């Protein structure tokens, strides 16, 4: 939100931000014209808002489903960013090197050496362990315990666990201590960052699309990890991090 706002302001637009709107109401807010633009994910639009089946679909197909589906609400999407905030599994880098684990197939084969710091819900969801095992096979972990999600990286940092469910843009993944295992059988669909905007707003000034598309080209998964690291790990405000990024990249 803040990066897009700062880029638009730099081009002379008057932008008012509304941070911390609950994800459960923000789609309704843009449909009811309380919001004109916000950052969403292609997968969220297609799956959660449009109830479309996106299993096995690639990022372009999901983005197309999202764009076509929101048109009836007077909305549209712009070009999606390469950054993908998908579900994933984070592993301690030291453990991955010790056992030669780079992807989820490697993890499945060597699960008996790995301690899984889970979040409970992940174990029972079809987009969690239940579904993973249908695609990759049974995971016979050495140890499998449930922790509060907010403590997951502390558990790994203390050496009390080796892997944990994660989103692929989390800042801790940019520290070098952890990385997200490659989903080599493409179990999880992509969730690319995308601007969701009211069509009337875009029609009023097509420059908006040009500005945001220029920004989004640079928002790779690695770049989003680095930005999140500066906030979640290094302790900077998101306003400062966004302002600095726009100054250097736009």
């Amino acid at each position: 939100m803040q990066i897009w706002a700062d880029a638009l302001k730099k081009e002379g637009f008057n932008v008012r931000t509304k941070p911390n709107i609950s994800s459960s109401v923000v789609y309704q807010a843009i449909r009811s014209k309380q919001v004109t633009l916000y950052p969403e994910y292609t997968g969220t639009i297609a799956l959660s808002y449009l109830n479309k089946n996106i299993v096995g679909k690639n990022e372009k197909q999901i983005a197309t489903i999202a764009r076509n589906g929101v048109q009836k609400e007077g909305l549209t999407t712009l070009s999606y960013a390469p950054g993908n905030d998908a579900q994933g599994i984070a592993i301690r880098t030291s453990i991955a090197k010790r056992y030669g684990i780079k992807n989820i197939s490697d993890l499945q084969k060597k699960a008996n050496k790995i301690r899984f710091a889970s979040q409970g819900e992940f174990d029972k969801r079809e987009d969690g362990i239940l579904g993973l095992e249908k695609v990759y096979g049974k995971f016979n972990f050495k140890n499998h315990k449930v922790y509060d999600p907010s403590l997951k990286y502390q558990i790994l940092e203390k050496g009390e666990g080796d892997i944990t469910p994660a989103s692929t843009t989390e800042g801790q993944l940019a520290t070098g201590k952890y990385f997200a295992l490659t989903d080599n059988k493409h179990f999880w669909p992509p969730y690319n960052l995308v601007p969701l905007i009211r069509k009337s707003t875009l029609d009023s000034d097509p420059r908006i699309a040009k500005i945001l598309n220029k920004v989004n080209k640079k928002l790779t998964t690695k770049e989003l990890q680095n930005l999140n690291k500066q906030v979640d790990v290094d302790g900077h405000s998101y306003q400062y991090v966004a302002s600095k990024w726009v100054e250097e990249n736009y």
Side-chain angles (χ1 to χ4, degrees):
M1 176 199 73
Q2 197 63 50
I3 284 176
W4 291 352
D6 287 352
L8 288 165
K9 287 176 182 176
K10 195 170 182 178
E11 295 288 355
F13 285 87
N14 180 23
V15 182
R16 185 160 59 98
T17 58
K18 295 184 177 182
N20 302 318
I21 299 178
S22 169
S23 58
S24 63
V25 300
V26 68
Y27 185 60
Q28 180 57 37
I30 196 169
R31 290 167 68 196
S32 60
K33 303 182 182 180
Q34 297 176 68
V35 173
T36 55
L37 163 73
Y38 80 92
E40 190 50 275
Y41 298 104
T42 55
T44 301
I45 296 171
L47 182 63
S48 299
Y49 302 150
L50 303 174
N51 296 313
K52 300 295 185 181
N53 180 10
I54 59 175
V55 175
K57 300 283 195 301
N58 62 36
E59 60 183 33
K60 185 176 181 180
Q61 290 170 325
I62 294 173
T64 299
I65 290 170
R67 175 173 291 178
N68 292 342
V70 299
Q71 286 181 354
K72 64 181 182 296
E73 302 288 351
L75 308 173
T76 190
T77 57
L78 304 181
S79 298
Y80 60 88
N84 177 20
D85 188 48
Q87 177 65 60
I89 293 177
I91 187 169
R92 292 167 58 201
T93 303
S94 58
I95 292 296
K97 289 181 178 178
R98 182 184 304 173
Y99 297 116
I101 299 173
K102 297 180 180 179
N103 57 45
I104 298 179
S105 286
D106 295 337
L107 175 67
Q108 188 273 333
K109 292 173 185 174
K110 300 178 181 180
N112 64 335
K113 303 179 185 299
I114 300 299
R115 296 166 300 166
F116 182 27
S118 184
Q119 297 161 280
E121 178 191 2
F122 186 80
D123 306 354
K124 303 170 185 176
R125 294 195 330 236
E126 279 298 326
D127 63 343
I129 289 295
L130 292 180
L132 277 173
E133 290 191 333
K134 292 177 182 177
V135 174
Y136 286 96
K138 185 73 174 175
F139 292 83
N140 296 308
F141 292 114
K142 177 180 179 180
N143 183 289
H144 188 157
K145 292 184 179 180
V146 175
Y147 298 92
D148 185 300
S150 65
L151 301 176
K152 64 184 183 181
Y153 284 109
Q154 293 180 40
I155 298 300
L156 267 58
E157 177 79 29
K158 292 177 182 178
E160 296 175 6
D162 302 315
I163 65 168
T164 191
S167 296
T168 53
T169 61
E170 289 177 347
Q172 289 83 354
L173 299 175
T175 63
K177 298 178 182 178
Y178 322 99
F179 68 91
L181 292 170
T182 300
D183 178 14
N184 56 295
K185 294 188 178 181
H186 308 289
F187 170 68
W188 285 303
Y191 278 66
N192 294 87
L193 176 67
V194 69
L196 182 61
I197 186 169
R198 293 204 61 79
K199 187 139 187 333
S200 58
T201 303
L202 189 60
D203 290 342
S204 69
D205 199 326
R207 289 183 303 155
I208 296 171
K210 184 178 179 180
I211 294 164
L212 297 185
N213 288 341
K214 180 180 177 181
V215 169
N216 287 348
K217 285 181 182 179
K218 297 185 178 183
L219 294 179
T220 62
T221 302
K222 184 175 181 180
E223 190 73 357
L224 292 172
Q225 288 176 356
N226 287 329
L227 288 164
N228 285 332
K229 174 183 176 291
Q230 292 177 58
V231 177
D232 297 333
V233 179
D234 301 336
H236 297 298
S237 71
Y238 73 83
Q239 295 94 333
Y240 168 78
V241 173
S243 175
K244 183 182 175 191
W245 189 91
V246 169
E247 182 181 334
E248 295 174 352
N249 293 276
Y250 184 82

